[in-house]
Amino acid sequence: MPWSLGRDDDVITEWERSDGYATVRIRERGDGGFVARLDVMEQADDESAYERERFDDRETALDRAATWREAREIDD
């Protein structure tokens, strides 16, 4: 199932999987760092998960978000 960009502003960038049961979010922290978060709900066809990682720069956080989205794509 594909991912779509649901929010993209100065603080948060978030993608949602088309089934609505998974999101990946990048958030800028007050100290200038970034947090990447994966949230797959228990109702999802794949295994539920919650992961959160902190990064010093946005590009590295975006790379992690892309890896999570690729790993969590599921067939329709």
Side-chain angles (χ1 to χ4, degrees), residues 12-36:
I12 293 175
T13 302
E14 183 173 60
W15 298 265
E16 182 175 345
R17 196 168 61 189
S18 62
D19 65 355
Y21 292 131
T23 59
V24 172
R25 175 183 283 196
I26 302 295
R27 176 181 57 85
E28 185 172 4
R29 295 171 39 93
D31 64 5
F34 291 85
V35 172

Side-chain angles (χ1 to χ4, degrees), residues 13-66:
T13 302
E14 183 173 60
W15 298 265
E16 182 175 345
R17 196 168 61 189
S18 62
D19 65 355
Y21 292 131
T23 59
V24 172
R25 175 183 283 196
I26 302 295
R27 176 181 57 85
E28 185 172 4
R29 295 171 39 93
D31 64 5
F34 291 85
V35 172
R37 188 258 303 145
L38 165 70
D39 189 6
V40 182
M41 295 182 213
E42 291 181 14
Q43 298 89 339
D45 287 339
D46 52 335
E47 185 177 325
S48 67
Y50 184 88
E51 294 185 47
R52 181 181 178 277
E53 294 182 31
R54 187 173 165 199
F55 300 95
D56 292 331
D57 62 90
R58 181 174 174 79
E59 289 305 313
T60 306
L62 286 169
D63 288 344
R64 184 63 176 130

